[in-house]
Amino acid sequence: MGNFENVGYAAPGRAGIYNILIMEEVQTIMAVGAGATSKMVFLGGKRIERAGNVKDVGIYIDRVDEMISRKRKLIDRCASEEAQAD
């Protein structure tokens, strides 16, 4: 079946808004866990940055503080740019 980690559930005959936002790359996504990738949408979609986590669970656990720090920096950068744009 493949990798479906970015697929949201929708009732039969209905569209999942999560899936639409993912495909259009207009939604910021904060991901946690080994192999997860966070995506930050800057300035209304003019730029996208990603921060990926290491895939190996043991290494992820050893470096979890680093992964959190990288995501915090990404959030801070986005907030700063959004504030400057206003």
Side-chain angles (χ1 to χ4, degrees):
M1 295 215 24
N3 295 325
F4 291 106
E5 63 271 5
N6 287 329
V7 177
Y9 172 79
R14 305 292 301 247
I17 189 72
Y18 175 81
N19 294 338
I20 294 167
L21 294 173
I22 291 296
M23 289 184 285
E24 292 181 358
E25 294 209 321
V26 295
Q27 179 66 46
T28 291
I29 306 218
M30 298 310 291
V32 296
T37 301
S38 292
K39 175 179 74 175
M40 184 68 67
V41 178
F42 288 78
L43 302 170
K46 294 181 182 174
R47 195 178 85 221
I48 295 172
E49 283 190 35
R50 291 175 172 80
N53 294 340
V54 296
K55 292 183 179 184
D56 182 274
V57 174
I59 296 171
Y60 174 78
I61 291 168
D62 289 341
R63 295 174 53 192
V64 70
D65 290 335
E66 174 191 336
M67 305 295 122
I68 292 169
S69 176
R70 287 185 22 226
K71 290 173 197 284
R72 281 188 178 145
K73 288 177 185 173
L74 186 62
I75 292 167
D76 290 345
R77 215 168 31 253
C78 184
S80 175
E81 287 188 25
E82 294 289 336
Q84 290 174 2
D86 289 339

